[in-house]
Amino acid sequence: MTTYVPSITLPDAVFANPAASILVPVGLGLGVGYSVSPKSTQKTYLALKQPPYRPPPQVFGPTWTTLYALMGYSAYRAWTTGTASLNPNTVQLTKQGATLFTIQLGLNLIWMPLFFGLKRPVEATADIVALTAVTGYLTYIWSQVDSVAAWCLAPYLGWLGFATYLSVGTGHLNNWNFTNKERETKTSDTGSGMNKDYVNKAPEQK
């Protein structure tokens, strides 16, 4: 059972402030997304063999921004409701959830670098399975503190289940190896320079 660990938990001020609680996960999520390079990530995503019901890459940005915002608001609701309670058990559950929230945020933020940056589908899938489990437990913990906080995590938890399916399916269909998807190509028909392309990449429309 996870307990409240201040050293690995976001500062109290983040949870207590509605703007900070929302902007921290949104800002960190956007920062990680842009650090991995959206254009390169999109090319890799389209090149990999994917399981059925794969959404178009344009869906992920707005979806994750919304989920990060809901996640942050959930943290604010749970913290402000729980720490104001006169019940010591409710206060303890609130703080325990704060540690779980921080852990799940860290697991969330390293998934994209693992999957797209380092091209390590095994490690990325292990990460998202752990992330889904921690988020499920967090939802359960905070449901005992504030029902609105728990419901705000419900869409996130559902999306994590779908993302786990995509991660496992993509890894399996590509033999858990993304490094063999790249090939050297000329930068132009007459040029001598070389560039990276992807073996399954769809031809560009002219």
Side-chain angles (χ1 to χ4, degrees):
M1 179 177 177
T2 304
T3 57
Y4 176 54
V5 185
S7 61
I8 62 168
T9 304
L10 288 169
D12 296 358
V14 172
F15 295 106
N17 185 293
S21 65
I22 292 171
L23 291 176
V24 166
V26 170
L28 289 174
L30 290 174
V32 169
Y34 279 104
S35 70
V36 179
S37 176
K39 187 175 181 180
S40 174
T41 296
Q42 191 171 111
K43 285 183 177 180
T44 304
Y45 177 77
L46 293 172
L48 296 169
K49 295 177 181 177
Q50 299 270 353
Y53 309 114
R54 173 189 79 174
Q58 296 83 358
V59 167
F60 291 98
T63 298
W64 274 114
T65 301
T66 302
L67 293 175
Y68 282 130
L70 281 171
M71 177 199 308
Y73 182 69
S74 172
Y76 167 73
R77 280 279 312 200
W79 183 265
T80 54
T81 301
T83 54
S85 174
L86 298 178
N87 185 335
N89 185 56
T90 300
V91 175
Q92 180 59 32
L93 287 171
T94 302
K95 293 184 174 182
Q96 179 184 348
T99 296
L100 289 169
F101 179 90
T102 307
I103 292 171
Q104 70 81 25
L105 183 59
L107 290 171
N108 181 299
L109 295 173
I110 65 173
W111 182 85
M112 183 175 284
L114 283 173
F115 195 87
F116 290 109
L118 299 176
K119 297 181 173 63
R120 304 295 293 268
V122 174
E123 290 83 349
T125 298
D127 173 78
I128 201 168
V129 168
L131 169 59
T132 304
V134 171
T135 304
Y137 187 43
L138 170 62
T139 304
Y140 167 71
I141 291 295
W142 274 353
S143 70
Q144 301 173 69
V145 175
D146 182 74
S147 60
V148 173
W151 280 111
C152 283
L153 289 174
Y156 176 45
L157 191 57
W159 182 260
L160 286 178
F162 180 54
T164 300
Y165 156 75
L166 291 176
S167 186
V168 172
T170 303
H172 173 71
L173 292 173
N174 292 276
N175 298 315
W176 301 100
N177 183 9
F178 294 171
T179 58
N180 62 357
K181 298 301 175 183
E182 295 182 349
R183 63 184 176 189
E184 298 286 343
T185 58
K186 290 184 178 181
T187 55
S188 65
D189 293 338
T190 58
S192 57
M194 302 300 290
N195 201 357
K196 291 285 187 182
D197 205 347
Y198 299 89
V199 295
N200 295 326
K201 181 181 176 183
E204 294 183 359
Q205 298 291 332
K206 295 185 178 180

